[in-house]
Amino acid sequence: MSAYEHEVKALLSAAGVPVPRGVVVDDLDFGRAGELTEPLVLKAFGPGLVHKSDVGAVALGLSRKDLAGAAAGMRARLEVAGFLVEEQAEAGVELIVGLVRDPGFGPVLLTGLGGVWTEALRDTALRLCPISEEDARRMLASLRGSSILYGSRGAPPVDVDAVVKLLMTVGGPGGLWERLELGEFELNPVIAGPSGVIAVDARHLPAPGPAPGAPRAATDFLPLFEPRAVAVVGASTTRPNFGNMFLGFYRAAGVPLVAVHPTAAEVAGVPAVPSLAEADVDYALVAVPAERCAEVLREAGGVPFVQVMSGGFAETGRPDLEEELVEAARAAGTRLLGPNCMGVYSPRGRQTFVGGGLGPAGQVALISQSGGLAGEVIKVGERRGLAFSRVVTVGNSADVTPAELLCWLARDEETRAVGLYLEDPRDGRELFEALRAAELPVVLLVGGRSGQGQEAAASHTGGMVSDRRVWEAVAEQSGAVLVAGQDDLIGVLAFFQAHGSRHARGGVLVVGPSGGASVLAADAFDLAGVRLDPLPPDAPAALRGLGVVASGNPLEVPVGPLGRAGLVPEVVSALLRSRPYGDVVLHVNVQAFFTYGDAAEPLYAYARAVAQAQAALPDTRITLVTRNGECAPPGVEDEVRRIAAAAGIPVYRSMEAAAVAVAAGGRHGVA
């Protein structure tokens, strides 16, 4: 049951939040209102009266003699338990301040333009609680209508410090969010003016908080990624299936291997034991029907990690089978990966769930709730030069969670950047804390952020806290990079892999041919939120001797089959002597090399010159964009990537992809 407004305002007043002076009247005797200053506001309260203005339970601008008549009219139409009479606040900027418990991430604070503008403009910002004072100020500054807070068209600025104090009282450390049984809580409107703020309307819909789970001791996941030996449960002696496919993958990887089969002595040439109880392994993959999985896990005592590949659990409406599976894993003392997941990939540990052999061991990790997408990122990423340390698919995350894995990977000596693909974080609050604690770059790709299906909420706050906006707040507060698609996930990870050890400082310079491409490059970087700094004042003189006109940033420099391969590096070096640029993005039109020339060697020569420039500029991060690369003969792009990768230069096919990656580098505080 929702608390009545005067009860919520008593709570606010005790917390130091200014509220209008008022009195509560249980009948139609309004004598106690004589101590209040007109004009007055009359509000009815009672069961179901949540949105009072929608049902005519609010009257403004009243005198004392108007109260009884207005109250009688409300009582005739509504189920009324009593009335709240308040002094009417002076006009000002109307804001909304609200709290809601997100199912995945817990308490979320929202603020924005309030009153009649809340639904009309939906100009709001959110952060996960607890917020910092910097969070509060960034929230206000991010509003499209923020100018009215700081003084606009001759109006005086509001007391922004008072607004920040209110946000901290509600959503900061020790704030109301910690003390409320939080379903939905909303102050709308809060009137802000030059002399402070006042909460003129308030509502609270309590809801019981989630029962805290028992803390689990930290797990060492090294045996998951580098097992001494692996068992496969579910391979057949008569009909090849998924289990047999994985036996083949593991045999090719060379990891010590055993099959689990009730009767066979061997399966597809792999020695077999009758149950997991007889398997001396660190990791077991289970590929049997969902109904049999719990039985298999009950025999897994002594096996540190069991991955259930099988589907058919909570994701298909069978949470009972998933609960039984988790109970079986706990009884056996094993950690459960999945169910409904593909497994683990780690070249260093000969772990794999994809065919085609193991790629090079590297320093990029991936946590994915989708096995199929993880396989794509591995294969496409390796084709583009990514080298992985650890890849793990978690499926339904019934036991091992993304947050646990991220905490471990953040301390893993073999990992320097982590990507995550998530749909349902399961442990949102723990994941948020892990993201904030991680000191290495983290890239987030989230499925299902569109918020297509949003349940009706009793408050405006509840209606405006969508999955997409919560994830944006998570990224903003944690420093993680939120990307929109798989290609950008791979591209940003490639940037961190190439430039993770280069802590460059300075602006962004874009250099390449073609006026139109330069204009579009400027648009791409602007869309990604990256500012292109102007050329230094002495650029015309510095470039004149090289035959280049200092036209601006992006800078147009001829690059083609008949051009001199070293010209662009010389131009960059000349400019860097006058102004530091932390990022230099070089783009080339690959199509021109094969339309106006007949050999790949001039393109390779350009790539080698760029690689030499990177070696000579350790404090600058060079990124190469090979526009129209599909116009090159087969193998040419791969060779350009190989030359660039050897020098620690990431390569992108489009300016848009490069802009997203460079923006990510800056967001993580290394630009």
Side-chain angles (χ1 to χ4, degrees), residues 220-249:
D220 180 9
F221 286 102
L222 186 61
L224 177 69
F225 296 106
E226 300 183 19
R228 292 178 298 108
V230 172
V232 175
V233 185
S236 172
T237 58
T238 57
R239 292 185 303 171
N241 57 21
F242 275 113
N244 295 78
M245 180 179 71
F246 277 89
L247 282 178
F249 290 166

PDB file of all heavy atoms in Angstrom, residues 220-249:
ATOM      1  N   ASP A 220      38.728 -19.450  -7.772  1.00  0.00           N
ATOM      2  CA  ASP A 220      39.852 -19.345  -8.697  1.00  0.00           C
ATOM      3  C   ASP A 220      39.424 -20.003 -10.003  1.00  0.00           C
ATOM      4  O   ASP A 220      39.234 -21.218 -10.071  1.00  0.00           O
ATOM      5  CB  ASP A 220      41.080 -20.048  -8.125  1.00  0.00           C
ATOM      6  CG  ASP A 220      42.277 -19.962  -9.069  1.00  0.00           C
ATOM      7  OD1 ASP A 220      42.189 -19.214 -10.070  1.00  0.00           O
ATOM      8  OD2 ASP A 220      43.283 -20.647  -8.808  1.00  0.00           O
ATOM      9  N   PHE A 221      39.272 -19.199 -11.042  1.00  0.00           N
ATOM     10  CA  PHE A 221      38.778 -19.713 -12.322  1.00  0.00           C
ATOM     11  C   PHE A 221      39.893 -20.198 -13.247  1.00  0.00           C
ATOM     12  O   PHE A 221      39.606 -20.569 -14.387  1.00  0.00           O
ATOM     13  CB  PHE A 221      37.951 -18.634 -13.026  1.00  0.00           C
ATOM     14  CG  PHE A 221      36.596 -18.418 -12.401  1.00  0.00           C
ATOM     15  CD1 PHE A 221      36.362 -17.332 -11.579  1.00  0.00           C
ATOM     16  CD2 PHE A 221      35.567 -19.312 -12.634  1.00  0.00           C
ATOM     17  CE1 PHE A 221      35.120 -17.136 -11.003  1.00  0.00           C
ATOM     18  CE2 PHE A 221      34.318 -19.128 -12.060  1.00  0.00           C
ATOM     19  CZ  PHE A 221      34.095 -18.039 -11.238  1.00  0.00           C
ATOM     20  N   LEU A 222      41.130 -20.222 -12.775  1.00  0.00           N
ATOM     21  CA  LEU A 222      42.207 -20.660 -13.659  1.00  0.00           C
ATOM     22  C   LEU A 222      41.977 -22.077 -14.194  1.00  0.00           C
ATOM     23  O   LEU A 222      42.166 -22.319 -15.398  1.00  0.00           O
ATOM     24  CB  LEU A 222      43.555 -20.565 -12.951  1.00  0.00           C
ATOM     25  CG  LEU A 222      44.775 -20.857 -13.836  1.00  0.00           C
ATOM     26  CD1 LEU A 222      44.861 -19.868 -15.001  1.00  0.00           C
ATOM     27  CD2 LEU A 222      46.065 -20.822 -13.005  1.00  0.00           C
ATOM     28  N   PRO A 223      41.541 -23.058 -13.362  1.00  0.00           N
ATOM     29  CA  PRO A 223      41.298 -24.393 -13.924  1.00  0.00           C
ATOM     30  C   PRO A 223      40.186 -24.426 -14.969  1.00  0.00           C
ATOM     31  O   PRO A 223      40.137 -25.358 -15.781  1.00  0.00           O
ATOM     32  CB  PRO A 223      40.924 -25.231 -12.697  1.00  0.00           C
ATOM     33  CG  PRO A 223      41.512 -24.508 -11.534  1.00  0.00           C
ATOM     34  CD  PRO A 223      41.402 -23.056 -11.894  1.00  0.00           C
ATOM     35  N   LEU A 224      39.293 -23.452 -14.946  1.00  0.00           N
ATOM     36  CA  LEU A 224      38.261 -23.373 -15.972  1.00  0.00           C
ATOM     37  C   LEU A 224      38.884 -23.065 -17.329  1.00  0.00           C
ATOM     38  O   LEU A 224      38.470 -23.619 -18.355  1.00  0.00           O
ATOM     39  CB  LEU A 224      37.242 -22.287 -15.599  1.00  0.00           C
ATOM     40  CG  LEU A 224      36.118 -22.002 -16.591  1.00  0.00           C
ATOM     41  CD1 LEU A 224      35.153 -23.177 -16.651  1.00  0.00           C
ATOM     42  CD2 LEU A 224      35.381 -20.719 -16.220  1.00  0.00           C
ATOM     43  N   PHE A 225      39.867 -22.173 -17.327  1.00  0.00           N
ATOM     44  CA  PHE A 225      40.484 -21.741 -18.581  1.00  0.00           C
ATOM     45  C   PHE A 225      41.713 -22.571 -18.963  1.00  0.00           C
ATOM     46  O   PHE A 225      42.058 -22.651 -20.141  1.00  0.00           O
ATOM     47  CB  PHE A 225      40.868 -20.261 -18.478  1.00  0.00           C
ATOM     48  CG  PHE A 225      39.698 -19.346 -18.313  1.00  0.00           C
ATOM     49  CD1 PHE A 225      39.419 -18.757 -17.087  1.00  0.00           C
ATOM     50  CD2 PHE A 225      38.857 -19.081 -19.376  1.00  0.00           C
ATOM     51  CE1 PHE A 225      38.334 -17.916 -16.933  1.00  0.00           C
ATOM     52  CE2 PHE A 225      37.769 -18.237 -19.228  1.00  0.00           C
ATOM     53  CZ  PHE A 225      37.498 -17.656 -17.999  1.00  0.00           C
ATOM     54  N   GLU A 226      42.369 -23.164 -17.977  1.00  0.00           N
ATOM     55  CA  GLU A 226      43.558 -23.965 -18.247  1.00  0.00           C
ATOM     56  C   GLU A 226      43.455 -25.298 -17.496  1.00  0.00           C
ATOM     57  O   GLU A 226      44.196 -25.557 -16.539  1.00  0.00           O
ATOM     58  CB  GLU A 226      44.819 -23.200 -17.836  1.00  0.00           C
ATOM     59  CG  GLU A 226      45.010 -21.876 -18.579  1.00  0.00           C
ATOM     60  CD  GLU A 226      46.305 -21.161 -18.206  1.00  0.00           C
ATOM     61  OE1 GLU A 226      47.215 -21.831 -17.676  1.00  0.00           O
ATOM     62  OE2 GLU A 226      46.400 -19.938 -18.450  1.00  0.00           O
ATOM     63  N   PRO A 227      42.523 -26.147 -17.896  1.00  0.00           N
ATOM     64  CA  PRO A 227      42.305 -27.406 -17.163  1.00  0.00           C
ATOM     65  C   PRO A 227      43.441 -28.407 -17.402  1.00  0.00           C
ATOM     66  O   PRO A 227      44.016 -28.483 -18.481  1.00  0.00           O
ATOM     67  CB  PRO A 227      40.998 -27.911 -17.760  1.00  0.00           C
ATOM     68  CG  PRO A 227      40.959 -27.352 -19.145  1.00  0.00           C
ATOM     69  CD  PRO A 227      41.610 -26.005 -19.040  1.00  0.00           C
ATOM     70  N   ARG A 228      43.722 -29.215 -16.372  1.00  0.00           N
ATOM     71  CA  ARG A 228      44.690 -30.314 -16.538  1.00  0.00           C
ATOM     72  C   ARG A 228      44.151 -31.340 -17.531  1.00  0.00           C
ATOM     73  O   ARG A 228      44.897 -31.917 -18.318  1.00  0.00           O
ATOM     74  CB  ARG A 228      44.931 -30.998 -15.200  1.00  0.00           C
ATOM     75  CG  ARG A 228      45.649 -30.198 -14.151  1.00  0.00           C
ATOM     76  CD  ARG A 228      45.779 -31.000 -12.871  1.00  0.00           C
ATOM     77  NE  ARG A 228      44.464 -31.321 -12.306  1.00  0.00           N
ATOM     78  CZ  ARG A 228      43.913 -32.536 -12.308  1.00  0.00           C
ATOM     79  NH1 ARG A 228      44.558 -33.554 -12.853  1.00  0.00           N
ATOM     80  NH2 ARG A 228      42.725 -32.742 -11.749  1.00  0.00           N
ATOM     81  N   ALA A 229      42.831 -31.575 -17.448  1.00  0.00           N
ATOM     82  CA  ALA A 229      42.190 -32.557 -18.330  1.00  0.00           C
ATOM     83  C   ALA A 229      40.713 -32.205 -18.416  1.00  0.00           C
ATOM     84  O   ALA A 229      40.158 -31.511 -17.555  1.00  0.00           O
ATOM     85  CB  ALA A 229      42.378 -33.975 -17.790  1.00  0.00           C
ATOM     86  N   VAL A 230      40.069 -32.724 -19.481  1.00  0.00           N
ATOM     87  CA  VAL A 230      38.670 -32.395 -19.782  1.00  0.00           C
ATOM     88  C   VAL A 230      37.886 -33.691 -19.971  1.00  0.00           C
ATOM     89  O   VAL A 230      38.384 -34.651 -20.560  1.00  0.00           O
ATOM     90  CB  VAL A 230      38.578 -31.534 -21.055  1.00  0.00           C
ATOM     91  CG1 VAL A 230      37.129 -31.354 -21.503  1.00  0.00           C
ATOM     92  CG2 VAL A 230      39.243 -30.172 -20.825  1.00  0.00           C
ATOM     93  N   ALA A 231      36.623 -33.691 -19.476  1.00  0.00           N
ATOM     94  CA  ALA A 231      35.706 -34.795 -19.725  1.00  0.00           C
ATOM     95  C   ALA A 231      34.536 -34.304 -20.564  1.00  0.00           C
ATOM     96  O   ALA A 231      34.070 -33.169 -20.382  1.00  0.00           O
ATOM     97  CB  ALA A 231      35.188 -35.375 -18.411  1.00  0.00           C
ATOM     98  N   VAL A 232      34.055 -35.137 -21.472  1.00  0.00           N
ATOM     99  CA  VAL A 232      32.878 -34.835 -22.273  1.00  0.00           C
ATOM    100  C   VAL A 232      31.815 -35.887 -21.973  1.00  0.00           C
ATOM    101  O   VAL A 232      32.065 -37.095 -22.124  1.00  0.00           O
ATOM    102  CB  VAL A 232      33.202 -34.820 -23.780  1.00  0.00           C
ATOM    103  CG1 VAL A 232      31.923 -34.634 -24.601  1.00  0.00           C
ATOM    104  CG2 VAL A 232      34.193 -33.710 -24.096  1.00  0.00           C
ATOM    105  N   VAL A 233      30.652 -35.423 -21.522  1.00  0.00           N
ATOM    106  CA  VAL A 233      29.533 -36.307 -21.189  1.00  0.00           C
ATOM    107  C   VAL A 233      28.476 -36.166 -22.283  1.00  0.00           C
ATOM    108  O   VAL A 233      27.986 -35.063 -22.524  1.00  0.00           O
ATOM    109  CB  VAL A 233      28.926 -35.943 -19.824  1.00  0.00           C
ATOM    110  CG1 VAL A 233      27.844 -36.960 -19.438  1.00  0.00           C
ATOM    111  CG2 VAL A 233      29.999 -35.872 -18.751  1.00  0.00           C
ATOM    112  N   GLY A 234      28.116 -37.291 -22.924  1.00  0.00           N
ATOM    113  CA  GLY A 234      27.041 -37.246 -23.906  1.00  0.00           C
ATOM    114  C   GLY A 234      27.443 -37.616 -25.310  1.00  0.00           C
ATOM    115  O   GLY A 234      26.602 -37.637 -26.211  1.00  0.00           O
ATOM    116  N   ALA A 235      28.718 -37.909 -25.549  1.00  0.00           N
ATOM    117  CA  ALA A 235      29.137 -38.366 -26.882  1.00  0.00           C
ATOM    118  C   ALA A 235      28.601 -39.774 -27.118  1.00  0.00           C
ATOM    119  O   ALA A 235      28.476 -40.582 -26.200  1.00  0.00           O
ATOM    120  CB  ALA A 235      30.655 -38.341 -26.998  1.00  0.00           C
ATOM    121  N   SER A 236      28.284 -40.070 -28.375  1.00  0.00           N
ATOM    122  CA  SER A 236      27.640 -41.333 -28.727  1.00  0.00           C
ATOM    123  C   SER A 236      28.614 -42.258 -29.462  1.00  0.00           C
ATOM    124  O   SER A 236      29.490 -41.806 -30.206  1.00  0.00           O
ATOM    125  CB  SER A 236      26.416 -41.075 -29.606  1.00  0.00           C
ATOM    126  OG  SER A 236      25.875 -42.281 -30.110  1.00  0.00           O
ATOM    127  N   THR A 237      28.413 -43.568 -29.265  1.00  0.00           N
ATOM    128  CA  THR A 237      29.212 -44.553 -29.999  1.00  0.00           C
ATOM    129  C   THR A 237      28.576 -44.918 -31.331  1.00  0.00           C
ATOM    130  O   THR A 237      29.202 -45.599 -32.156  1.00  0.00           O
ATOM    131  CB  THR A 237      29.365 -45.836 -29.162  1.00  0.00           C
ATOM    132  OG1 THR A 237      28.060 -46.347 -28.856  1.00  0.00           O
ATOM    133  CG2 THR A 237      30.140 -45.556 -27.887  1.00  0.00           C
ATOM    134  N   THR A 238      27.316 -44.481 -31.546  1.00  0.00           N
ATOM    135  CA  THR A 238      26.602 -44.882 -32.770  1.00  0.00           C
ATOM    136  C   THR A 238      26.175 -43.707 -33.639  1.00  0.00           C
ATOM    137  O   THR A 238      26.233 -43.797 -34.874  1.00  0.00           O
ATOM    138  CB  THR A 238      25.347 -45.697 -32.384  1.00  0.00           C
ATOM    139  OG1 THR A 238      24.514 -44.908 -31.516  1.00  0.00           O
ATOM    140  CG2 THR A 238      25.740 -46.995 -31.686  1.00  0.00           C
ATOM    141  N   ARG A 239      25.730 -42.620 -33.033  1.00  0.00           N
ATOM    142  CA  ARG A 239      25.245 -41.477 -33.817  1.00  0.00           C
ATOM    143  C   ARG A 239      25.997 -40.223 -33.403  1.00  0.00           C
ATOM    144  O   ARG A 239      25.841 -39.754 -32.274  1.00  0.00           O
ATOM    145  CB  ARG A 239      23.743 -41.265 -33.601  1.00  0.00           C
ATOM    146  CG  ARG A 239      22.886 -42.383 -34.174  1.00  0.00           C
ATOM    147  CD  ARG A 239      21.421 -42.028 -34.027  1.00  0.00           C
ATOM    148  NE  ARG A 239      21.055 -41.778 -32.631  1.00  0.00           N
ATOM    149  CZ  ARG A 239      19.870 -41.285 -32.242  1.00  0.00           C
ATOM    150  NH1 ARG A 239      18.978 -40.952 -33.160  1.00  0.00           N
ATOM    151  NH2 ARG A 239      19.615 -41.105 -30.971  1.00  0.00           N
ATOM    152  N   PRO A 240      26.814 -39.673 -34.285  1.00  0.00           N
ATOM    153  CA  PRO A 240      27.559 -38.457 -33.922  1.00  0.00           C
ATOM    154  C   PRO A 240      26.615 -37.340 -33.483  1.00  0.00           C
ATOM    155  O   PRO A 240      25.563 -37.110 -34.080  1.00  0.00           O
ATOM    156  CB  PRO A 240      28.287 -38.095 -35.217  1.00  0.00           C
ATOM    157  CG  PRO A 240      28.383 -39.386 -35.962  1.00  0.00           C
ATOM    158  CD  PRO A 240      27.133 -40.145 -35.630  1.00  0.00           C
ATOM    159  N   ASN A 241      26.988 -36.649 -32.416  1.00  0.00           N
ATOM    160  CA  ASN A 241      26.170 -35.564 -31.871  1.00  0.00           C
ATOM    161  C   ASN A 241      27.092 -34.439 -31.402  1.00  0.00           C
ATOM    162  O   ASN A 241      28.286 -34.423 -31.707  1.00  0.00           O
ATOM    163  CB  ASN A 241      25.285 -36.076 -30.733  1.00  0.00           C
ATOM    164  CG  ASN A 241      26.109 -36.717 -29.612  1.00  0.00           C
ATOM    165  OD1 ASN A 241      27.306 -36.460 -29.472  1.00  0.00           O
ATOM    166  ND2 ASN A 241      25.470 -37.561 -28.807  1.00  0.00           N
ATOM    167  N   PHE A 242      26.527 -33.498 -30.621  1.00  0.00           N
ATOM    168  CA  PHE A 242      27.344 -32.378 -30.135  1.00  0.00           C
ATOM    169  C   PHE A 242      28.500 -32.872 -29.276  1.00  0.00           C
ATOM    170  O   PHE A 242      29.612 -32.342 -29.339  1.00  0.00           O
ATOM    171  CB  PHE A 242      26.479 -31.404 -29.327  1.00  0.00           C
ATOM    172  CG  PHE A 242      25.771 -30.390 -30.179  1.00  0.00           C
ATOM    173  CD1 PHE A 242      24.393 -30.421 -30.298  1.00  0.00           C
ATOM    174  CD2 PHE A 242      26.476 -29.412 -30.853  1.00  0.00           C
ATOM    175  CE1 PHE A 242      23.736 -29.496 -31.087  1.00  0.00           C
ATOM    176  CE2 PHE A 242      25.828 -28.470 -31.632  1.00  0.00           C
ATOM    177  CZ  PHE A 242      24.445 -28.518 -31.757  1.00  0.00           C
ATOM    178  N   GLY A 243      28.252 -33.889 -28.460  1.00  0.00           N
ATOM    179  CA  GLY A 243      29.335 -34.414 -27.645  1.00  0.00           C
ATOM    180  C   GLY A 243      30.489 -34.907 -28.484  1.00  0.00           C
ATOM    181  O   GLY A 243      31.667 -34.655 -28.178  1.00  0.00           O
ATOM    182  N   ASN A 244      30.174 -35.627 -29.567  1.00  0.00           N
ATOM    183  CA  ASN A 244      31.225 -36.105 -30.462  1.00  0.00           C
ATOM    184  C   ASN A 244      31.976 -34.952 -31.122  1.00  0.00           C
ATOM    185  O   ASN A 244      33.203 -35.005 -31.310  1.00  0.00           O
ATOM    186  CB  ASN A 244      30.621 -37.008 -31.539  1.00  0.00           C
ATOM    187  CG  ASN A 244      30.031 -38.277 -30.962  1.00  0.00           C
ATOM    188  OD1 ASN A 244      28.926 -38.244 -30.414  1.00  0.00           O
ATOM    189  ND2 ASN A 244      30.747 -39.382 -31.060  1.00  0.00           N
ATOM    190  N   MET A 245      31.223 -33.898 -31.479  1.00  0.00           N
ATOM    191  CA  MET A 245      31.868 -32.739 -32.086  1.00  0.00           C
ATOM    192  C   MET A 245      32.887 -32.129 -31.124  1.00  0.00           C
ATOM    193  O   MET A 245      34.018 -31.785 -31.520  1.00  0.00           O
ATOM    194  CB  MET A 245      30.814 -31.689 -32.465  1.00  0.00           C
ATOM    195  CG  MET A 245      31.393 -30.436 -33.099  1.00  0.00           C
ATOM    196  SD  MET A 245      30.112 -29.232 -33.556  1.00  0.00           S
ATOM    197  CE  MET A 245      29.602 -28.653 -31.923  1.00  0.00           C
ATOM    198  N   PHE A 246      32.535 -32.042 -29.857  1.00  0.00           N
ATOM    199  CA  PHE A 246      33.466 -31.461 -28.894  1.00  0.00           C
ATOM    200  C   PHE A 246      34.637 -32.388 -28.621  1.00  0.00           C
ATOM    201  O   PHE A 246      35.760 -31.921 -28.380  1.00  0.00           O
ATOM    202  CB  PHE A 246      32.730 -31.093 -27.603  1.00  0.00           C
ATOM    203  CG  PHE A 246      32.047 -29.761 -27.682  1.00  0.00           C
ATOM    204  CD1 PHE A 246      30.753 -29.647 -28.150  1.00  0.00           C
ATOM    205  CD2 PHE A 246      32.710 -28.608 -27.316  1.00  0.00           C
ATOM    206  CE1 PHE A 246      30.136 -28.421 -28.251  1.00  0.00           C
ATOM    207  CE2 PHE A 246      32.105 -27.375 -27.404  1.00  0.00           C
ATOM    208  CZ  PHE A 246      30.810 -27.275 -27.882  1.00  0.00           C
ATOM    209  N   LEU A 247      34.408 -33.681 -28.640  1.00  0.00           N
ATOM    210  CA  LEU A 247      35.545 -34.598 -28.536  1.00  0.00           C
ATOM    211  C   LEU A 247      36.551 -34.301 -29.649  1.00  0.00           C
ATOM    212  O   LEU A 247      37.773 -34.288 -29.420  1.00  0.00           O
ATOM    213  CB  LEU A 247      35.072 -36.044 -28.630  1.00  0.00           C
ATOM    214  CG  LEU A 247      34.441 -36.672 -27.388  1.00  0.00           C
ATOM    215  CD1 LEU A 247      33.998 -38.096 -27.701  1.00  0.00           C
ATOM    216  CD2 LEU A 247      35.411 -36.663 -26.215  1.00  0.00           C
ATOM    217  N   GLY A 248      36.033 -34.056 -30.858  1.00  0.00           N
ATOM    218  CA  GLY A 248      36.923 -33.741 -31.980  1.00  0.00           C
ATOM    219  C   GLY A 248      37.675 -32.438 -31.767  1.00  0.00           C
ATOM    220  O   GLY A 248      38.882 -32.356 -32.054  1.00  0.00           O
ATOM    221  N   PHE A 249      36.983 -31.410 -31.271  1.00  0.00           N
ATOM    222  CA  PHE A 249      37.645 -30.127 -31.019  1.00  0.00           C
ATOM    223  C   PHE A 249      38.783 -30.305 -30.009  1.00  0.00           C
ATOM    224  O   PHE A 249      39.895 -29.775 -30.190  1.00  0.00           O
ATOM    225  CB  PHE A 249      36.651 -29.105 -30.472  1.00  0.00           C
ATOM    226  CG  PHE A 249      35.624 -28.637 -31.467  1.00  0.00           C
ATOM    227  CD1 PHE A 249      34.495 -27.936 -31.038  1.00  0.00           C
ATOM    228  CD2 PHE A 249      35.754 -28.880 -32.819  1.00  0.00           C
ATOM    229  CE1 PHE A 249      33.546 -27.487 -31.942  1.00  0.00           C
ATOM    230  CE2 PHE A 249      34.808 -28.441 -33.740  1.00  0.00           C
ATOM    231  CZ  PHE A 249      33.702 -27.754 -33.284  1.00  0.00           C
TER     232      PHE A 249
END
